[in-house]
């Protein structure tokens, strides 16, 4: 008899514990999110390509789809087009140059996309400005090069971009794991107002991001280290409603395959991160090769009422779909 009472008490405690976890992380009793998702345009409006079979050595310019628009990624015209198409944030890639600038260009080396040679950061900005950034793009295995001759002089500097778009939001990708690069970027950005800094964020290697965050603590940043320091303790204890201090004032790039394992995802998790002044970016697939939500089938995979940031390579395609959907449980 006594053993039965103990078992019943344990069962009751277990049931109450499960109910606590459920209701504490359910979207049933939390603030509804009725706004549209935020659209982050990877490399602005760029030419896309199939992700299958990619390796770190793949020249993606040599395998683009048949072009559906005339823009070359990471250029000012492509950024203008992305914002016009509906982008809220544009992602761009930076490389320091030998003459103290930050060049905006995707690749570590020049051979794939341009008519130049060598490591991007081993050149002066003056040298990089002479290159044709559309030189290597082909959709038919080299039979034609539709952007050749159209990208001469289009590699911009970070200063040119931030001056040209003084009120737009950008995500800056540091392409190295060089601590000095983070320090140099911090020195450059430190001249901007607090309001402008709030419109920017950065991600990249652990070392440059740590250096950047140390000098500009108000800037949202993301690296593998900042992600782990936030998400590992959150997965361990987030069921209680606890948000680790490492999750405050930062940015999280969450692969869609991992997102369902986060306590309270999507609505309660997003609300918790909002309260911590942290931006959540949902990336398609496992996020290995900058997979994005690029079409109608991808958008259908989004959780109901998700209105965090969406990573996309085709903002021109998904913006009309997103803006046409109803959010907030309607």
């Amino acid at each position: 008899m006594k053993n039965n009472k103990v078992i019943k008490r344990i069962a009751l405690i277990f049931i109450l514990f499960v109910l606590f976890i459920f209701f504490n992380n359910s979207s049933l009793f939390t603030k509804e999110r009725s706004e549209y998702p935020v659209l982050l345009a990877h490399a602005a409006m760029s030419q896309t390509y199939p992700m299958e079979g990619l390796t770190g050595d793949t020249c993606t310019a040599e395998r683009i789809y048949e072009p559906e628009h005339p823009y070359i990624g990471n250029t000012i015209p492509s950024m203008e087009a992305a914002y016009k198409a509906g982008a809220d944030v544009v992602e761009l890639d930076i490389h320091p140059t030998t003459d103290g600038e930050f060049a905006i260009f995707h690749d570590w080396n020049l051979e794939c996309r341009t008519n130049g040679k060598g490591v991007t950061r081993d050149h002066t900005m003056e040298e990089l400005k002479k290159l044709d950034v559309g030189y290597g793009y082909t959709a038919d295995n080299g039979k034609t090069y539709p952007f050749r001759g159209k990208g001469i002089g289009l590699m911009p500097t970070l200063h040119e971009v931030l001056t040209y778009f003084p009120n737009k939001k950008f995500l800056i990708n540091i392409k190295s794991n060089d601590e000095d690069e983070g320090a140099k970027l911090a020195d450059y950005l430190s001249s901007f107002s607090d309001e402008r800094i709030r419109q920017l964020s950065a991600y990249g290697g652990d070392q440059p991001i740590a250096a950047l965050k140390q000098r500009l603590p108000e800037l949202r940043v993301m690296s593998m280290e900042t992600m782990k320091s936030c998400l590992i303790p959150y997965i361990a204890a987030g069921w209680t409603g606890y948000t680790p201090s490492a999750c405050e004032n930062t940015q999280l790039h969450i692969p869609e395959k991992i997102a369902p394992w986060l306590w309270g995802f999507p609505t309660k998790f997003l609300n918790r991160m909002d309260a911590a002044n942290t931006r959540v970016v949902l990336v398609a697939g496992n996020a290995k090769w900058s997979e994005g939500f690029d079409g109608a089938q991808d958008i259908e995979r989004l959780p109901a009422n998700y209105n965090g940031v969406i990573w996309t390579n085709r903002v021109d395609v998904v913006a009309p779909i997103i803006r046409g959907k109803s959010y907030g449980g309607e």
Side-chain angles (χ1 to χ4, degrees):
M1 181 73 73
K2 189 175 181 179
N3 287 340
N4 288 339
K5 288 183 178 180
V6 171
I7 293 173
K8 288 180 179 178
R9 286 177 183 176
I10 292 174
L12 178 60
I13 291 171
F14 178 76
I15 291 171
L16 291 174
F17 178 67
V18 171
L19 288 174
F20 169 78
I21 292 177
F22 173 77
F23 286 109
N24 197 45
N25 294 281
S26 171
S27 298
L28 296 175
F29 304 104
T30 191
K31 173 187 172 185
E32 288 190 359
R33 305 179 65 89
S34 58
E35 302 88 358
Y36 289 116
V38 175
L39 299 180
L40 189 159
H42 172 229
M45 283 272 282
S46 59
Q47 299 302 315
T48 56
Y49 44 84
M51 299 288 181
E52 296 78 19
L54 288 184
T55 71
D57 297 324
T58 301
C59 175
T60 55
E62 294 178 347
R63 55 185 290 167
I64 62 171
Y65 293 118
E66 189 67 29
E68 297 180 15
H69 61 74
Y71 300 105
I72 302 167
N74 273 309
T75 64
I76 285 178
S78 73
M79 296 173 195
E80 280 189 305
Y83 286 122
K84 186 176 180 180
D88 300 291
V89 186
V90 162
E91 187 264 4
L92 52 80
D93 308 286
I94 63 169
H95 301 263
T97 63
T98 59
D99 53 354
E101 295 282 359
F102 282 105
I104 296 180
F105 184 66
H106 183 274
D107 294 353
W108 189 266
N109 297 306
L110 295 168
E111 284 85 351
C112 172
R113 299 178 195 276
T114 82
N115 54 335
K117 294 182 179 181
V119 177
T120 304
R121 61 191 55 220
D122 288 346
H123 293 74
T124 66
M125 198 65 223
E126 182 180 3
E127 292 169 336
L128 295 174
K129 284 284 189 182
K130 296 177 182 178
L131 299 179
D132 179 1
V133 296
Y135 188 85
Y137 288 86
T138 179
D140 53 15
N141 297 314
K143 295 178 182 178
T144 60
Y145 291 86
F147 298 100
R148 186 166 289 185
K150 298 178 181 179
I152 300 172
L154 289 188
M155 190 186 302
T157 67
L158 180 61
H159 184 70
E160 287 173 333
V161 168
L162 295 183
T163 301
Y164 193 90
F165 301 100
N167 299 307
K168 294 295 187 181
K169 296 178 180 179
F170 288 96
L171 170 60
I172 301 169
N173 182 15
I174 299 176
K175 301 292 285 189
S176 78
N177 196 28
D178 185 347
E179 179 180 350
D180 289 341
E181 190 171 337
K184 289 176 182 177
L185 180 59
D187 289 342
Y188 171 68
L189 294 179
S190 63
S191 63
F192 289 87
S193 67
D194 290 345
E195 180 181 1
R196 187 62 175 129
I197 292 296
R198 285 192 292 270
Q199 295 173 324
L200 306 175
S201 55
Y203 74 111
D206 292 340
Q207 294 187 37
I209 289 300
L212 179 60
K213 187 67 172 179
Q214 182 179 18
R215 290 163 174 78
L216 283 179
E218 66 273 26
L219 180 71
R220 291 190 184 97
V221 299
M222 192 283 290
S223 68
M224 285 303 296
E225 181 59 34
T226 65
M227 286 273 288
K228 289 189 293 185
S229 64
C230 167
L231 293 181
I232 291 176
Y234 182 82
I235 291 172
W239 58 271
T240 65
Y242 167 69
T243 300
S245 60
C247 295
E248 296 175 1
N249 193 42
T250 187
Q251 183 152 309
L252 301 171
H253 294 188
I254 310 292
E256 64 172 318
K257 294 182 179 179
I258 294 176
W261 296 96
L262 300 175
W263 296 106
F265 187 85
T267 306
K268 186 155 284 188
F269 177 75
L270 290 174
N271 286 342
R272 287 170 178 165
M273 294 304 110
D274 280 353
N277 194 36
T278 285
R279 180 179 294 143
V280 176
V281 181
L282 192 63
V283 184
N286 60 16
K288 184 177 181 180
W289 300 114
S290 297
E291 298 100 324
F293 293 88
D294 298 337
Q297 290 184 332
D298 298 327
I299 298 304
E300 289 301 318
R301 298 200 309 272
L302 290 174
N305 301 334
Y306 176 83
N307 73 340
V309 184
I310 296 171
W311 182 287
T312 180
N313 299 295
R314 290 300 305 268
V315 67
D316 56 320
V317 173
V318 303
I321 300 171
I322 290 291
R323 303 304 190 230
K325 294 178 75 70
S326 295
Y327 283 81
E330 296 178 10

